[in-house]
Amino acid sequence: MSGRLSFYRFSSPAAFYPLAGAIGKVSALIAVVLLAIGLYMSFFVAPTDYKQGEGYRIIFIHVPSAWMSMFIYLVMAFWAGIGLVFNTRLSSMMAQALAPTGAIMTFIALWTGAFWGKPMWGAWWVWDARLTSELILFFLYIGFIALQGSIDDTRRADRAGAVLLLVGVVNIPIIYFSVKWWNTLHQGATVSVTEGSSMSTIMLQAMLIMTFAFWAYSVAVAMYRVRSIILEREKDTRWVSELPEVRR
Amino acid sequence: MLEVVNLQCTRGDRCLFSGIGFTVGEGELLYLYGHNGSGKTTLMRTLCGLVAPTDGEVCWKDLPIRKQRDEYAAELLYLGHKNGLKDDLTGVENLLVACRLAGVSVKEDKAWSVLERMGLRGHEDLPARVLSQGQQKRVALARLLLSEAPLWVLDEPFVGLDVAAVALLEAVLAEHVARGGMVVLTTHQEVALTSGKVKKLRLGWKEDGCV
Amino acid sequence: MFSAFRIIVARDLLLAMRRRSDVLTTLFFFVIVVSLFPLGIGPELNTLRLIAPGVFWVAALLASMLALEKLFFVDYQDGSLEQMLLAPQPLSVLVLGKVLAHWLVTGLPLVLLSPLLGLQYDLSTATIAVMMFTLLIGTPALSLIGAIGAALTLGIRGGGVLVSLLVLPLYIPVLIFGAGAVEAEASGLGGAGHLSMLGAILLLSALAAPLATAAALRISAE
Amino acid sequence: MKGGVSEFFAMGGYALYVWGSFGATALLMIAEPLLVRQRRKAALQRISRLVRIKSEQQS
């Protein structure tokens, strides 16, 4: 019995591997269905905005991706904290599995923010408090991925990444607050990206569905990626060599 | 008393050793044998708490060292391959800093006399970078004479020492064990002990040393 | 506990005095970066006065980041870091000692030199005073936060660039409040709000950063 | 769909911005799963090679 009690039945990679596959399939299905409904509502059900015309439809992917980019970072920090405290390698793998998806979500938020800013304020990049914080969050993701990538010993990579995430998660509110203070001081309250148009219920519903679709997508991708990470790390174990997918 | 229970360590994804168990009581000296890459240094560093084992436990006075990090550190002296000397400090300064950091209050003249006893007469106030490898090792080993720690964990202490220094170190170890101290040692050299028990542990004798 | 802190600070200051070049490189880097901007932007004093807070603070930030690499790496190489990890005192206290010594060598000189550079930018004495004060309480926070990055990337090849990538996002609040305070004072708005935030960040990093750095050191020295 | 397909794609004059955003997002959300699948295939290949080497050693 290992010195430290591992009290999740699924904390061993061998037990979690098939479960991750199942969750991956289910959430992939949910993602596809919700995306279809969400897109349909975004384009055909939601009315044209009286002020921003059709351009505002970008909101249906900008806001969900922005929310997801923040949510994934918090989930990563949660798993990293668990991995550091309880020394369960699987939770560190989860954090590593979520990182690329989080970075992509942040990039999507920035990209769609710029493509929305151009028609609305005439500039591809607006130093709006939220967009700026999103940019800094993107640097935090890239920093985490770069740190994990440059350390060979997986154990050290996990724990170093965990410390960076925990330090990052403490700094996020400070960063957001300081950027907001800096933004309002220099430019006065510019129209921030989302408050522009009043949200009718249909628009809100469409956005919520899209958000759940993005959430399901992230879970699916993370589950499949964590399976690959488990395969890479447990390649010498007996249970991996007996997997049906491994061709003799 | 140092007790190790079912210890396992993996480096990267390679299992260095597993199921290691032994005890070192007062007045005992433990030899650690093993071919290169058998994990001797990792085991020594795990004993000190520098490396966290993937399984098993290291206990000092019946309490896991994880839970008493500072108290255990006060009763332990670890000398690794690297001497832990700052190149720009002189031998005396290095010795004084090392001892005071370990919580041992030492006066300067005591440090000079200890360095002299270690055969460094006339070299005490030279910057460490000027000294030869053997001389630097002697400065590092001088800490043994000033230390009050009962447990010594020494990784290859004899490496780079000339015959006179080897004899000197053997005497110091024998005296420490005679006083009821404990030593864990990796070396390829027998140490003639005046009293106390000698234990041996071979690492890596099982083909991959893994469960 | 306090004696170990004092020993570490004394040892590192002694080492810095013996190897004076390390002290000067960081200082000259700051001077050069600050002096480059007028050459790039033009001698027009009004613009220089406008950009001075930002230039000084970005230069201080880069200088502090440049100096981070030496913070633990020499100890890591010669084995004294191991002895620090095995000292009976809490590691975070020793880390605080090392960061204080590091700041005295690389942060304080910037503060003392900024008035001289301020003349290059035709700053009023009041603005220079505020600049010095913000650098005085800002650069220690930079060293404390930077120490976490230095500890995380210990012994990694290409660690130097990686430190800046890890640490820059965490420096941003200090930059915003530091430069903002000087600008607010200069424009007559009063930088009290910024200065108190800067002080709060310094306090938070003085308490929390050494703990994270200690954890990172234990992980890296494994 | 009263205005017909062309009007739909025009997006009231915001075509570049709307399709620029949705297009990039779609591209990324298709590329990422493909990359994960490719990573999985590489891992499985490496494992099967290890298994083959081990079985050769034993026989």
Side-chain angles (χ1 to χ4, degrees):
Chain A
M1 234 296 279
S2 81
R4 274 165 294 288
L5 190 67
S6 59
F7 35 73
Y8 299 123
R9 197 161 61 76
F10 289 110
S11 80
S12 86
F16 184 69
Y17 182 79
L19 177 67
I23 299 176
K25 284 193 187 59
V26 167
S27 41
L29 197 66
I30 295 173
V32 169
V33 167
L34 286 184
L35 264 178
I37 299 171
L39 284 175
Y40 178 76
M41 286 182 71
S42 309
F43 284 110
F44 304 110
V45 174
T48 315
D49 181 69
Y50 65 91
K51 230 175 12 164
Q52 301 190 7
E54 301 298 336
Y56 88 99
R57 294 187 192 282
I58 297 173
I59 194 176
F60 293 125
I61 41 175
H62 175 71
V63 170
S65 55
W67 281 346
M68 280 312 294
S69 66
M70 174 62 70
F71 178 67
I72 289 178
Y73 195 87
L74 297 179
V75 169
M76 279 165 64
F78 167 75
W79 281 120
I82 299 279
L84 205 56
V85 169
F86 298 110
N87 221 336
T88 46
R89 300 292 305 284
L90 197 58
S91 11
S92 316
M93 291 186 206
M94 268 312 287
Q96 192 184 348
L98 280 164
T101 308
I104 285 176
M105 283 296 167
T106 321
F107 179 79
I108 290 175
L110 289 170
W111 178 276
T112 50
F115 267 67
W116 190 3
K118 177 65 179 160
M120 297 313 146
W121 298 304
W124 287 107
W125 179 256
V126 169
W127 286 98
D128 165 72
R130 245 183 287 247
L131 272 181
T132 315
S133 314
E134 198 72 39
L135 182 64
I136 298 169
L137 181 61
F138 187 66
F139 293 149
L140 288 175
Y141 272 112
I142 299 303
F144 174 77
I145 293 170
L147 179 66
Q148 292 241 316
S150 61
I151 299 175
D152 306 328
D153 171 19
T154 51
R155 219 175 105 73
R156 175 181 171 183
D158 288 347
R159 300 176 70 199
V163 168
L164 182 65
L165 278 175
L166 294 176
V167 167
V169 94
V170 164
N171 271 282
I172 280 186
I174 303 172
I175 289 175
Y176 183 69
F177 177 75
S178 58
V179 167
K180 204 147 183 55
W181 182 309
W182 164 81
N183 181 274
T184 43
L185 181 77
H186 286 277
Q187 279 179 349
T190 55
V191 170
S192 93
V193 179
T194 47
E195 270 105 23
S197 56
S198 63
M199 296 294 285
S200 74
T201 48
I202 302 262
M203 292 180 198
L204 202 57
Q205 278 165 0
M207 196 153 62
L208 284 178
I209 290 176
M210 286 299 277
T211 304
F212 279 114
F214 274 47
W215 176 78
Y217 163 83
S218 305
V219 169
V221 171
M223 283 297 146
Y224 281 112
R225 185 176 290 116
V226 84
R227 276 163 62 97
S228 303
I229 293 175
I230 292 174
L231 287 179
E232 282 156 13
R233 292 195 183 184
E234 307 268 319
K235 60 184 182 309
D236 301 320
T237 57
R238 188 171 302 109
W239 73 272
V240 163
S241 55
E242 283 154 3
L243 280 173
E245 308 95 284
V246 173
R247 277 186 308 288
R248 290 291 168 274
Chain B
M1 200 266 281
L2 181 72
E3 188 194 357
V4 170
V5 176
N6 186 21
L7 201 66
Q8 179 188 348
C9 259
T10 49
R11 179 63 66 182
D13 42 24
R14 199 167 62 82
C15 172
L16 287 175
F17 52 77
S18 67
I20 299 287
F22 59 85
T23 61
V24 180
E26 260 109 26
E28 287 179 353
L29 181 138
L30 172 71
Y31 280 119
L32 211 52
Y33 291 101
H35 53 78
N36 294 338
S38 60
K40 292 200 300 294
T41 301
T42 309
L43 175 56
M44 299 287 267
R45 290 166 66 89
T46 311
L47 294 182
C48 305
L50 288 173
V51 169
T54 41
D55 205 352
E57 203 66 72
V58 177
C59 299
W60 171 253
K61 292 178 180 165
D62 305 325
L63 197 62
I65 58 172
R66 280 185 296 111
K67 294 190 170 60
Q68 46 168 339
R69 203 180 282 279
D70 289 349
E71 299 78 8
Y72 180 55
E75 304 196 323
L76 161 77
L77 187 136
Y78 168 69
L79 285 182
H81 293 297
K82 302 180 199 148
N83 296 325
L85 304 180
K86 305 302 280 181
D87 290 345
D88 296 329
L89 294 182
T90 67
V92 176
E93 284 164 347
N94 267 308
L95 185 56
L96 287 175
V97 163
C99 290
R100 288 185 183 140
L101 206 57
V104 175
S105 61
V106 177
K107 283 190 290 303
E108 188 149 350
D109 52 8
K110 188 80 167 67
W112 281 76
S113 65
V114 160
L115 283 177
E116 199 181 324
R117 189 178 161 206
M118 288 300 292
L120 288 164
R121 177 182 252 292
H123 302 281
E124 296 92 342
D125 53 1
L126 294 175
R129 66 174 180 281
V130 169
L131 301 176
S132 74
Q133 266 302 333
Q135 286 168 326
Q136 287 187 10
K137 194 73 174 178
R138 286 169 182 250
V139 173
L141 290 171
R143 281 185 59 197
L144 299 179
L145 301 175
L146 292 166
S147 160
E148 291 148 1
L151 171 65
W152 291 356
V153 176
L154 311 174
D155 201 347
E156 309 278 358
F158 292 99
V159 161
L161 294 184
D162 54 29
V163 175
V166 165
L168 185 61
L169 181 55
E170 275 182 348
V172 169
L173 291 179
E175 189 194 313
H176 178 67
V177 169
R179 279 203 316 270
M182 291 158 258
V183 178
V184 180
L185 192 58
T186 54
T187 179
H188 305 289
Q189 188 160 342
E190 290 295 325
V191 173
L193 274 187
T194 50
S195 72
K197 209 145 96 46
V198 173
K199 291 185 174 178
K200 287 191 169 63
L201 175 72
R202 180 168 290 284
L203 259 187
W205 53 274
K206 274 191 290 184
E207 195 268 325
D208 59 4
C210 246
V211 169
Chain C
M1 167 115 70
F2 190 68
S3 68
F5 177 84
R6 218 164 14 84
I7 292 165
I8 289 280
V9 175
R11 182 195 74 169
D12 275 15
L13 288 183
L14 187 59
L15 280 170
M17 286 314 120
R18 295 252 169 98
R19 190 170 288 282
R20 211 171 303 283
S21 67
D22 292 350
V23 178
L24 298 178
T25 41
T26 314
L27 196 60
F28 280 122
F29 177 81
F30 179 70
V31 169
I32 290 167
V33 169
V34 168
S35 314
L36 281 180
F37 274 86
L39 299 170
I41 293 172
E44 216 281 328
L45 288 181
N46 284 339
T47 28
L48 289 185
R49 218 175 289 120
L50 190 66
I51 62 169
V55 165
F56 275 63
W57 259 95
V58 168
L61 199 124
L62 293 177
S64 141
M65 207 174 46
L66 191 72
L68 279 181
E69 179 132 32
K70 295 191 295 300
L71 186 53
F72 296 118
F73 191 67
V74 179
D75 292 348
Y76 176 74
Q77 265 185 333
D78 60 29
S80 46
L81 183 65
E82 276 172 356
Q83 299 302 334
M84 250 171 72
L85 293 179
L86 293 177
Q89 290 80 8
L91 184 55
S92 48
V93 168
L94 303 182
V95 162
L96 206 58
K98 274 208 75 70
V99 171
L100 174 64
H102 176 260
W103 176 71
L104 288 173
V105 167
T106 58
L108 195 56
L110 306 192
V111 176
L112 302 179
L113 203 66
S114 50
L116 204 64
L117 295 171
L119 302 182
Q120 270 185 352
Y121 284 70
D122 183 36
L123 296 179
S124 66
T125 45
T127 314
I128 288 181
V130 174
M131 173 77 78
M132 283 182 72
F133 183 65
T134 56
L135 285 173
L136 186 66
I137 54 175
T139 43
L142 294 181
S143 297
L144 283 161
I145 299 169
I148 303 174
L152 281 173
T153 58
L154 204 51
I156 296 174
R157 57 197 182 321
V161 177
L162 190 59
V163 173
S164 44
L165 183 61
L166 301 186
V167 145
L168 270 180
L170 308 176
Y171 273 2
I172 286 172
V174 181
L175 172 64
I176 286 176
F177 290 122
V182 182
E183 202 195 323
E185 280 297 321
S187 63
L189 271 168
H194 291 79
L195 289 175
S196 50
M197 280 308 297
L198 201 57
I201 290 177
L202 173 60
L203 203 63
L204 174 72
S205 39
L207 296 174
L211 297 172
T213 310
L217 279 179
R218 286 201 192 285
I219 292 167
S220 303
E222 227 173 58
Chain D
M1 281 266 286
K2 47 192 178 334
V5 174
S6 64
E7 197 201 317
F8 168 75
F9 281 110
M11 269 296 142
Y14 293 100
L16 166 68
Y17 308 112
V18 171
W19 298 120
S21 317
F22 279 84
T25 310
L27 198 68
L28 286 170
M29 287 171 79
I30 292 166
E32 191 183 10
L34 292 180
L35 283 173
V36 171
R37 204 156 64 88
Q38 198 250 333
R39 178 175 177 173
R40 176 181 163 76
K41 210 159 4 85
L44 286 175
Q45 266 167 2
R46 189 137 180 268
I47 292 165
S48 53
R49 204 168 343 101
L50 279 173
V51 166
R52 220 174 306 117
I53 292 165
K54 220 171 237 177
S55 57
E56 274 150 18
Q57 274 163 357
Q58 269 141 18
S59 60

